[in-house]
Amino acid sequence: MADRKPLLSGNWKMHHNHLEAIAVLQRLSYALRDDDYNAVDVSVHPPFPDLRSLQVVIDADRLRIALGAQNCHWEDKGAFTGEVSCSMLAKLDVRYVIVGHSERREYFGETDADVNRKATAVLAAGMTPILCVGETLQEREAGHAEAKVQGQVPAGLAGLSADQIGSMVIAYEPIWAIGTGRTATADDAQAMCATIRGSVAQVAGADAAARVRIQYGGSVKPANTAELMAQPDIDGALVGGASLDAEDFSRIVRYRDS
């Protein structure tokens, strides 16, 4: 098995103005120790207006927290009102970009092809995509969960090299567990993450599958992180609501102390 350093990512969604974001970032940094950063990677994904402010704090204080974005456009420039390009994000030292989050797919109509174009653009700009896949409650209850994810994975990775795929992060987010307080059991999460790794192997080979990091996302909390992280195919967490509070998110990052 490849040595996959866990990645704990806080997706702040449409929360925190730039002043609030700075305060949360600073409180998070105060709560974490060198041992934490040595054991796991940590990223925060604020709204676009906050990115420059957090970049300044990270640089000035030499924080070991990576800056992430929640979305991007696949074109480098153009008449795309309201969009942000990967080259713009890279100039702000963004390291991770979420692509294909279920909320983007559901509310903004993003397709698998859109997500693939975004992942390709993120890699071309020298950043790492966090590619989100997952099923709805209806799909799970109908027994179609694996088929849904097994379709999303190759579609999202189309045209990418094995080396590129191995460097990525894939986040499994059961849509029915996002913001609902419901969480997939550790066994269910592990089973689907293993399915994702198997799909990667079919697309890009065993080495890429061993290297790719797979996060779980869906009502992750301090109380359930350690159990989830103990699973062999779960290499981190994409955290929503619990990442908005620095104390809660720091406890998630420090799950090894549980």
Side-chain angles (χ1 to χ4, degrees), residues 1-4 153 157 161-170 193-214 232-235:
M1 179 186 295
D3 182 17
R4 300 186 298 265
V153 170
L157 301 179
S161 70
D163 282 345
Q164 287 176 315
I165 292 170
S167 72
M168 290 175 58
V169 180
I170 298 177
C193 289
T195 295
I196 291 169
R197 202 174 300 281
S199 295
V200 172
Q202 291 182 341
V203 171
D207 181 66
R211 290 170 50 216
V212 70
R213 291 190 285 184
I214 301 176
D233 286 295
I234 297 179
D235 310 310

Side-chain angles (χ1 to χ4, degrees), residues 77-222:
K77 61 181 65 175
F80 303 103
T81 299
E83 295 292 334
V84 174
S85 73
C86 289
S87 60
M88 294 174 183
L89 297 176
K91 285 290 186 183
L92 292 172
D93 297 330
V94 167
R95 289 177 53 192
Y96 298 96
V97 184
I98 300 169
V99 297
H101 191 280
S102 62
E103 291 160 359
R104 297 295 311 176
R105 295 178 189 258
E106 179 182 358
Y107 302 142
F108 301 98
E110 290 189 7
T111 66
D112 286 336
D114 294 335
V115 175
N116 175 247
R117 285 191 283 262
K118 291 184 179 190
T120 302
V122 170
L123 288 162
M127 300 177 293
T128 299
I130 299 177
L131 191 157
C132 299
V133 299
E135 80 282 2
T136 66
L137 180 60
Q138 292 79 9
E139 288 163 339
R140 172 164 282 270
E141 290 180 340
H144 300 154
E146 287 193 4
K148 173 67 173 293
V149 170
Q150 287 171 330
Q152 287 179 318
V153 170
L157 301 179
L160 300 178
S161 70
D163 282 345
Q164 287 176 315
I165 292 170
S167 72
M168 290 175 58
V169 180
I170 298 177
Y172 167 56
E173 42 165 18
I175 298 169
W176 47 271
I178 298 173
T180 64
R182 299 179 61 177
T183 309
T185 67
D187 288 343
D188 286 343
Q190 161 57 26
M192 192 61 80
C193 289
T195 295
I196 291 169
R197 202 174 300 281
S199 295
V200 172
Q202 291 182 341
V203 171
D207 181 66
R211 290 170 50 216
V212 70
R213 291 190 285 184
I214 301 176
Q215 295 178 317
Y216 170 79
S219 295
V220 177
K221 304 177 183 67

